[in-house]
Amino acid sequence: MRTNTIVVSINYSGMQLPIVKNEFGDDCTPLKPIVDLLGIQWERQRKRINESAHLSKFLGVCTVRMYCASGQKREKTCILLSRVAAFIMSINPDRVRANGNVDAADFLEEKLKEWADALHDYEELGVAFNMAHSRNQEAAGRQFMRVAKLLKIKSQLPELSERRLMDSMITKAADGLGIAYQPDLLDTQD
């Protein structure tokens, strides 16, 4: 007798990833479909992440029993959903291209650039903004850049009165993005 099961999956950068919970209740996803999509050798990747204590711990490698297409439960090597990007960033696009998967290599190169830029923005500005998630990408992008520039200008102003004036401009610009801007507490005190 075959039982009905509910499979939860998400669209992650164009990939449909099934989501399962590990023994701690964390969201995980099987690694093999990601590896297959990139056209790299599954056994080599499985061995690499299992033999490296650092990678295994960092990626949250675990084994989860999941239903397969045949309706049977099988053990699957999974990683934390929050670490999928980290795993993908560890793959060399040249190796993917050498295996004949040019489209996946191009996708991988674009993702690596996008994520590197986002990480840079996060470290430099304290926030990263994914334009693809905005309804009005161009307007939101311009507004975001305006907020970022205003924050940078404010940080260079020596006078408290100038910083307070800048706070009102930043608040208006941030409101346009639906972001609640909180002025520095030191700037609000006399």
Side-chain angles (χ1 to χ4, degrees):
M1 182 171 127
R2 189 171 174 180
T3 59
N4 291 332
T5 59
I6 297 172
V7 177
V8 176
S9 65
I10 63 164
N11 185 321
Y12 185 97
S13 295
M15 298 179 281
Q16 280 301 119
L17 298 180
I19 307 301
V20 295
K21 299 280 186 188
N22 66 11
E23 62 191 69
F24 305 109
D26 301 318
D27 288 336
C28 296
T29 190
L31 188 57
K32 189 171 187 310
I34 299 167
V35 169
D36 290 345
L37 185 68
L38 295 172
I40 52 181
Q41 295 177 354
W42 163 242
E43 195 52 40
R44 175 181 271 168
Q45 294 303 313
R46 190 191 63 73
K47 188 175 179 181
R48 178 176 75 104
I49 64 167
N50 283 316
E51 289 181 358
S52 166
H54 167 72
L55 268 180
S56 184
K57 181 179 176 184
F58 178 70
L59 296 175
V61 175
C62 59
T63 304
V64 176
R65 292 184 53 82
M66 296 178 65
Y67 283 99
C68 299
S70 66
Q72 297 177 324
K73 265 193 164 181
R74 293 207 174 122
E75 288 188 350
K76 302 283 185 172
T77 300
C78 296
I79 62 173
L80 292 171
L81 182 61
S82 63
R83 297 298 195 263
V84 171
F87 172 76
I88 292 173
M89 288 172 35
S90 75
I91 305 299
N92 183 342
D94 293 336
R95 175 165 244 140
V96 173
R97 189 172 281 106
N99 287 341
N101 199 342
V102 176
D103 290 340
D106 292 344
F107 164 81
L108 183 56
E109 283 178 342
E110 287 303 312
K111 277 295 163 193
L112 294 175
K113 287 177 194 173
E114 177 186 331
W115 292 336
D117 290 345
L119 183 56
H120 170 77
D121 289 349
Y122 176 77
E123 290 295 330
E124 187 71 22
L125 302 172
V127 65
F129 186 74
N130 185 336
M131 299 287 285
H133 291 285
S134 171
R135 282 183 234 156
N136 187 346
Q137 295 176 7
E138 262 184 61
R142 285 192 303 272
Q143 191 74 354
F144 175 76
M145 292 310 295
R146 182 168 184 243
V147 170
K149 286 178 185 176
L150 291 172
L151 285 167
K152 187 172 184 175
I153 291 168
K154 178 191 171 194
S155 71
Q156 297 169 349
L157 294 173
E159 296 294 321
L160 177 61
S161 60
E162 293 172 328
R163 290 194 305 274
R164 284 183 178 168
L165 178 60
M166 191 61 69
D167 276 335
S168 67
M169 294 171 67
I170 294 169
T171 300
K172 277 185 175 180
D175 283 347
L177 288 169
I179 298 170
Y181 172 69
Q182 296 292 322
D184 295 331
L185 289 177
L186 295 175
D187 285 351
T188 60
Q189 298 173 356
D190 287 326

